[in-house]
Amino acid sequence: MAYPTAVLEAYRAELQGIRDKGIYKEERYIHSPQASGIEVEFPAGAGLKKVVNLCANNYLGLSSHPRVVAAAHRGLDERGYGMSSVRFICGTQDIHRELERKLTEFLGTEDTILFPSCMDANGGVFEAVLNDQDVMIADRLVHASIVDGMRLCKAMQDTYKHADMKHLEQKLQEHQDKRVRLIITDGVFSMDGDLAPLDEIVALAEKYNAMVFVDDSHASGFMGKTGRGTHEHFGVVGKIDIITTTLGKALGGASGGCVSGRQEVVDLCRQKARPYLFSNAVPPPIAYAALEVLDILSGSTERRDKLEENTKFWRQGLTEAGFVIKEGDSPIVPIMLFNAKLSQDIARDLYAEGIYVIGFFFPVVASGQARIRTQLSADHDIPMLKDALEAFKRVGAKHGILGLDKKGIIEKFGL
Amino acid sequence: MKEVILEYIKNEYLDEDEADEMSLDEHSPLITSGIVDSFSMVSLKRFLEKKYAISIPDEQATPEAFNTVSNIVELVKRHKKEA
């Protein structure tokens, strides 16, 4: 064992640097199941506070749904707790394959392979299907796990301006000499809540002989008329070559992810994707619960319809109250504050009002684009959202931002 | 060279409305301001290598070396001399 003083000091200095920048992350302890109303201990040691949760990815309110919890219990009883093996040795149960089949059906693809998380799916898929004769052309706002996955891959990296189809087309023209051109995008972008124009992306892919990759983690289960995802929303089901998504958000919210798409892509991942090869599958309770979630969603669109209704109410309410929000169709509704300190002050004041939200600023979002990201759930109801809206109005009025546009807020608070 | 690189950065990294609003010169910070991030920096490196027929080793393609157009010009000139 050696832990030299110089190393210890370097670590401490780095931690202090993070604190000095004001970006040190502190966890808040929740003492209740995940839901639209939760009990939170924050700061550590403080008494419990009941708050409305507007920052979970629990879009369909299934994280603690009785049917999902009961299914997880059943999984534990019937298939045990863990597998103690990777998939290809002795770590695959019938239910893992069953879940892959159900996800394939749900997403409208050819086959699916489970990963321990979508972070792992994104970390493994590019390296498994691309080589140094290929190019990856990614939207500049894709999720960090995609950036990491691309860095592990030998194919050439390129990027296009966020959702800018002219720029994407230019890049596709530039890379016509490559074996594979893979267009890479999120379906719904997590920080802005806007959608990648998948219909236009698919048209460009067809024109320039490119494949399309979509991370639909913030869409699977609720975007599109039957909740299949952003590809359903844009009418391009069956035309996305690779979809990655998570079971850790709308689809039960525990953990697990997948790569779903062309048969050969999935087969290659099963042979070559390192996060799949060298880690265990999701445990039986999660597999059972995820199957139950897909059963609930295949039986009725009630939950995604309610989420849509809540989202409309929330977007309209905030706009009428005079907040600047990012326009869009998704249940991710960012309230733009531009100034980093203002985003922190407003988040703090909202917490005092019983509203749990987080303020985001550079480098999580672009400089001068600080915001509070609110996320709706089918577990919210209109009276709850009405009360939350009143709290937002009180705090907005206190800071004098209601009715101000971007220019007005920047003039008042700076960047 | 300065103008060519500035023009490339405007086209490659700024949206049309940003390009109108922002006055970018050879001393404007590119990386620390968030205009160019490490993820999208690779296309700038490739552009420079192709345009000026040089090869920039990865270890020299640092955020510092790419932070301003004037730093980039210096880096390119150094490599052109070596070439």
Side-chain angles (χ1 to χ4, degrees):
Chain A
M1 191 198 93
Y3 190 35
T5 312
V7 173
L8 174 144
E9 280 170 1
Y11 289 164
R12 287 189 178 163
E14 188 176 348
L15 286 164
Q16 192 53 47
I18 299 172
R19 284 195 185 89
D20 292 346
K21 280 189 203 153
I23 52 173
Y24 195 86
K25 291 172 275 298
E26 308 251 15
E27 292 172 350
R28 303 180 185 201
Y29 306 131
I30 299 170
H31 290 243
S32 54
Q34 185 62 282
S36 56
I38 50 174
E39 290 182 31
V40 182
E41 172 196 340
F42 183 76
L48 294 188
K49 188 174 172 69
K50 284 191 178 167
V51 294
V52 173
N53 190 355
L54 278 166
C55 55
N57 302 317
N58 184 18
Y59 299 112
L60 293 171
L62 292 171
S63 305
S64 310
H65 189 279
R67 272 181 66 183
V68 178
V69 173
H73 277 287
R74 220 163 44 244
L76 203 52
D77 292 339
E78 293 174 8
R79 294 289 187 282
Y81 170 66
M83 292 307 299
S84 301
S85 169
V86 300
R87 287 283 298 270
F88 74 94
I89 297 180
C90 58
T92 302
Q93 289 173 323
D94 56 338
I95 48 161
H96 293 114
R97 193 59 195 140
E98 172 71 7
L99 178 54
E100 288 172 342
R101 271 198 285 269
K102 284 281 162 64
L103 280 166
T104 303
E105 202 178 294
F106 188 76
L107 297 170
T109 53
E110 293 173 11
D111 200 0
T112 300
I113 173 172
L114 289 169
F115 280 77
S117 68
C118 191
M119 170 102 201
D120 283 326
N122 290 338
V125 62
F126 302 114
E127 195 201 7
V129 301
L130 300 176
N131 66 30
D132 57 6
Q133 302 166 52
D134 306 331
V135 63
M136 306 173 279
I137 309 172
D139 186 293
R140 284 201 183 133
L141 292 190
V142 291
H143 189 259
S145 58
I146 293 177
V147 177
D148 287 358
M150 287 172 65
R151 286 185 172 144
L152 291 170
C153 175
K154 289 193 178 70
M156 182 184 276
Q157 284 178 35
D158 208 344
T159 55
Y160 61 95
K161 292 180 211 175
H162 176 53
D164 185 329
M165 294 299 104
K166 265 203 324 217
H167 201 214
L168 172 60
E169 181 161 18
Q170 195 185 314
K171 297 286 181 167
L172 287 165
Q173 287 166 348
E174 257 175 53
H175 294 296
Q176 281 300 301
D177 57 333
K178 299 291 185 300
R179 183 191 70 144
V180 174
R181 286 157 291 286
L182 181 62
I183 304 169
I184 299 171
T185 183
D186 290 3
V188 171
F189 289 88
S190 59
M191 281 297 151
D192 286 18
D194 60 336
L195 278 59
L198 290 187
D199 48 349
E200 294 177 54
I201 288 175
V202 164
L204 282 176
E206 284 170 357
K207 186 173 173 190
Y208 292 99
N209 195 18
M211 288 169 68
V212 181
F213 168 103
V214 178
D215 179 337
D216 230 10
S217 291
H218 285 277
S220 294
F222 54 91
M223 290 308 298
K225 279 288 159 219
T226 63
R228 308 306 159 114
T230 317
H231 57 329
E232 184 185 29
H233 180 89
F234 284 106
V236 289
V237 173
K239 294 192 172 175
I240 308 298
D241 303 285
I242 310 173
I243 296 173
T244 59
T245 192
T246 182
L247 303 173
K249 295 185 166 68
L251 304 179
S255 69
C258 68
V259 170
S260 193
R262 302 288 172 211
Q263 185 65 58
E264 297 72 21
V265 167
V266 171
D267 290 347
L268 274 172
C269 282
R270 225 178 272 284
Q271 299 308 314
K272 292 171 65 185
R274 296 171 70 83
Y276 162 86
L277 291 173
F278 300 112
S279 60
N280 289 6
V282 291
I286 291 181
Y288 265 69
L291 281 165
E292 189 71 18
V293 164
L294 293 177
D295 199 49
I296 293 171
L297 300 186
S298 300
S300 157
T301 60
E302 193 186 330
R303 300 191 83 80
R304 56 96 38 219
D305 295 345
K306 186 168 174 214
L307 175 63
E308 193 170 66
E309 190 188 315
N310 286 346
T311 301
K312 271 188 193 145
F313 174 84
W314 188 243
R315 283 184 175 276
Q316 192 183 341
L318 287 172
T319 305
E320 283 172 4
F323 287 98
V324 179
I325 63 168
K326 285 253 179 194
E327 299 297 329
D329 295 317
S330 83
I332 299 172
V333 187
I335 297 156
M336 300 307 294
L337 300 164
F338 310 102
N339 175 289
K341 183 171 181 301
L342 181 63
S343 72
Q344 299 308 295
D345 290 346
I346 289 190
R348 186 199 56 227
D349 290 348
L350 283 167
Y351 190 75
E353 291 265 4
I355 309 291
Y356 188 173
V357 287
I358 301 283
F360 293 99
F361 53 96
F362 185 75
V364 177
V365 294
S367 178
Q369 293 284 312
R371 68 196 61 184
I372 281 173
R373 179 178 67 168
T374 58
Q375 292 167 281
L376 282 305
S377 168
D379 199 38
H380 291 125
D381 57 33
I382 298 294
M384 188 183 248
L385 292 176
K386 269 188 183 154
D387 288 348
L389 198 54
E390 290 309 313
F392 268 84
K393 285 185 198 167
R394 282 192 294 277
V395 173
K398 178 185 160 187
H399 291 274
I401 58 165
L402 298 182
L404 293 184
D405 60 5
K406 176 181 177 181
K407 204 168 152 234
I409 296 175
I410 293 173
E411 266 171 19
K412 191 164 175 162
F413 295 92
L415 271 183
Chain B
M1 184 188 295
K2 192 176 76 188
E3 286 72 26
V4 173
I5 298 173
L6 269 172
E7 192 57 31
Y8 176 81
I9 287 167
K10 276 185 198 158
N11 291 336
E12 177 69 16
Y13 296 105
L14 296 182
D15 292 332
E16 274 168 36
D17 53 335
E18 281 177 332
D20 294 342
E21 277 175 25
M22 224 181 268
S23 60
L24 204 64
D25 64 31
E26 74 259 43
H27 303 299
S28 313
L30 302 173
I31 310 274
T32 48
S33 65
I35 294 174
V36 182
D37 59 27
S38 57
F39 180 44
S40 53
M41 207 172 84
V42 282
S43 56
L44 175 57
K45 177 175 178 281
R46 213 161 36 236
F47 166 77
L48 297 170
E49 290 179 329
K50 210 169 163 186
K51 179 88 189 165
Y52 300 106
I54 54 172
S55 169
I56 305 170
D58 284 348
E59 62 270 20
Q60 287 184 29
T62 59
E64 292 75 34
F66 277 68
N67 199 32
T68 63
V69 169
S70 104
N71 286 6
I72 294 170
V73 168
E74 213 172 286
L75 181 76
V76 171
K77 281 186 177 161
R78 207 165 61 233
H79 281 279
K80 268 181 87 84
K81 237 183 239 170
E82 282 167 17

